[in-house]
Amino acid sequence: MSEKSKLSGCPATGIGSMPGGDAREAAKTVTGSFADGQGMPYLAELPARGPGADMIGRTIGMLVEMYGHVEPSGWRISDRPGRDTRRARSWLGEDLDALEEFTQGYEGLLKVQAVGPWTLAAGLELRGGEAMLGDPGACRDLAGSLAEGLRAHLAEVRRRMPGAEVVLQLDEPSLTAVLLGRVRSASGYRTYRAVDRQVVESALRDVLAVAGEEGTTIVHSCAPEVPFALLRRAGVDGISFDFSLLTEREEETIGEAVEGGTQLFLGVVPSTDAATTAMSDPGGSVMGVRTLWSRLGLNPGTLAESVAITPSCGLAGASPAYARAALAHSARAARSLADNPE
């Protein structure tokens, strides 16, 4: 018999990023799409605004006693908070203001996202231009700074939305590349050495722990070969991934995750403007999920409590109209799965 996930009340949600630069419009969309128990609203990210609103820059703005600035090659460590760090913090405050406005009196799950320690280490440069990933000491310092920053961020969100049960999502699209030694150096001529799995797991566990014993955590990756077993050992409550990238050899691990009570956030809705036919059949969008359940011999009755439906990745590259449609379609597809699990 499978354990019940702390996230089993969440039928659908989005990944994080949204198109455009209007914080109020984004907050209105993500809260309206998942009203009345249809899913989990979240703190939208709007990378179209520029450096500091991008995934890496936003998280750098949360770090404690560690700062960054933008170089032509990307984000680089700084000695003090400059314009780019201040801008990242300002935009985060603007997004929180907007979400607070649209969640007055809200009670239920509410998700916030940040880049995890390993994707951050792969995407943030040391002063010499190489990624922090190549320096184990720098990686430890970065994970510690991120943990402290996230602890403060979660406290701020809980203060602003006191009725919400805040869920922390770490975005780790580079995690598999870090584990397999596929992250390229600044020159592009070599790759950084693979990081030991125990080191990776330990850092993730420490950062996830900031959610607290009663807190709830998710790790998201839209890359192939998600390390499901490692993430479960690190203590995540949910794993979010692009369902289309799942391979047969990963299916047994999926079954073990479900039996162990890990919630699966399945990215089955296209994240960029797709043919309208893809959005006209909610039941068709989750047909592959039902098929997988059958193949694994899992009880169809557990689908609704074990699975949440999402777009395949963030929606920053979509049109505003499509982003709204994709979130609404995710909620409808989740409802279809619950109503007709077989």
Side-chain angles (χ1 to χ4, degrees), residues 114-117 146 150 168-172 204 207-208 218-220:
V115 176
L146 176 61
L150 284 175
L168 172 63
Q169 174 181 302
L170 295 182
D171 293 317
E172 281 283 15
L204 279 169
V207 175
L208 290 165
I218 301 167
V219 170
H220 165 72

Side-chain angles (χ1 to χ4, degrees), residues 38-242:
Q38 294 188 82
M40 178 165 56
Y42 56 96
L43 179 64
E45 301 163 348
L46 302 171
R49 292 180 298 197
D54 61 298
M55 190 170 77
I56 296 288
R58 185 184 190 90
T59 303
I60 287 170
M62 298 179 190
L63 298 177
V64 172
E65 295 182 1
M66 197 174 278
Y67 316 104
H69 67 277
V70 178
E71 294 278 342
S73 55
W75 283 90
R76 185 170 294 181
I77 282 292
S78 298
D79 293 322
R80 58 185 65 85
R83 179 186 62 184
D84 296 327
T85 299
R86 287 194 297 270
R87 186 163 49 191
R89 291 174 177 173
S90 173
W91 273 327
L92 177 58
E94 184 180 308
D95 294 337
L96 282 168
D97 289 343
L99 186 63
E100 184 178 6
E101 177 185 346
F102 287 98
T103 53
Q104 292 295 312
Y106 174 75
E107 295 182 354
L109 297 169
L110 177 74
K111 182 163 68 74
V112 297
Q113 305 84 218
V115 176
W118 295 107
T119 296
L120 198 58
L124 181 55
E125 297 174 354
L126 294 165
R127 290 173 183 83
E130 290 296 337
M132 293 189 87
L133 186 63
D135 183 332
C139 288
R140 283 193 296 273
D141 291 345
L142 181 62
S145 174
L146 176 61
E148 286 304 306
L150 284 175
R151 194 173 280 114
H153 178 52
L154 292 174
E156 171 73 359
V157 175
R158 287 170 180 144
R159 183 186 68 78
R160 286 171 175 258
M161 297 83 165
E165 183 183 335
V166 182
V167 176
L168 172 63
Q169 174 181 302
L170 295 182
D171 293 317
E172 281 283 15
S174 299
L175 183 59
T176 300
V178 167
L179 288 165
L180 299 179
R182 294 175 181 169
V183 178
R184 294 206 164 273
S185 65
S187 66
Y189 293 123
R190 64 181 181 86
T191 55
Y192 294 101
R193 183 179 301 165
V195 180
D196 182 87
R197 298 181 81 85
Q198 289 185 315
V199 172
V200 170
E201 183 185 321
S202 176
L204 279 169
R205 185 182 296 108
D206 290 347
V207 175
L208 290 165
V210 304
E213 282 188 24
E214 298 302 312
T216 309
T217 56
I218 301 167
V219 170
H220 165 72
S221 173
C222 48
E225 301 174 78
V226 175
F228 293 98
L230 182 149
L231 293 175
R232 291 182 60 221
R233 288 195 303 271
V236 298
D237 299 300
I239 301 174
S240 171
F241 59 98
D242 182 341

Side-chain angles (χ1 to χ4, degrees), residues 268-270 272-286 322 325 329 332-333:
V268 301
V269 179
T272 52
D273 296 55
T276 51
T277 51
M279 305 292 281
S280 61
D281 181 12
S285 294
V286 289
Y322 181 82
H329 186 79
R332 286 195 301 272

